[in-house]
Amino acid sequence: MQYFVVMIDYGRRGREAVVDPEITRREVIARISSGEYQSISFIHEIAEDSVEDVTEAILAEAALPDIPPEDIDLQANRLDHARDLRKHERT
């Protein structure tokens, strides 16, 4: 049997260990990328009789690419927003 333990730290409110034998590595990564899992203390992979700390590897896989501010086209964002507003005004 293999499963993951994701320890989430809520600060003064305490910690929570999310343990679900049916969750896969891919699902853990997806939940981190979506923001469902935040403030992670550690992630352990339990397989048979061994425990492995896979925190760094999974967080690296789940990391979103950094986009430098100069690469963001603010004019395009503004035009997209204006188009969306016009589209919703018609309904």
Side-chain angles (χ1 to χ4, degrees), residues 38-75:
Q38 297 179 356
S39 302
I40 296 170
S41 295
F42 62 81
I43 302 169
H44 288 170
E45 180 179 9
I46 315 295
E48 299 301 325
D49 295 331
S50 68
V51 177
E52 183 180 353
D53 185 352
V54 293
T55 308
E56 294 299 321
I58 289 184
L59 290 179
E61 288 182 55
L64 298 175
D66 289 332
I67 301 173
E70 60 271 4
D71 290 347
I72 299 172
D73 189 351
L74 296 177
Q75 183 177 6

Side-chain angles (χ1 to χ4, degrees), residues 6-11 13-18 28-43 55 59 62 64:
V6 181
M7 181 64 74
I8 301 174
D9 186 358
Y10 295 112
R13 295 182 301 159
R15 287 180 270 173
E16 173 187 21
V18 179
V28 171
I29 292 168
R31 290 180 185 190
I32 293 169
S33 296
S34 73
E36 184 177 341
Y37 290 165
Q38 297 179 356
S39 302
I40 296 170
S41 295
F42 62 81
I43 302 169
T55 308
L59 290 179
L64 298 175

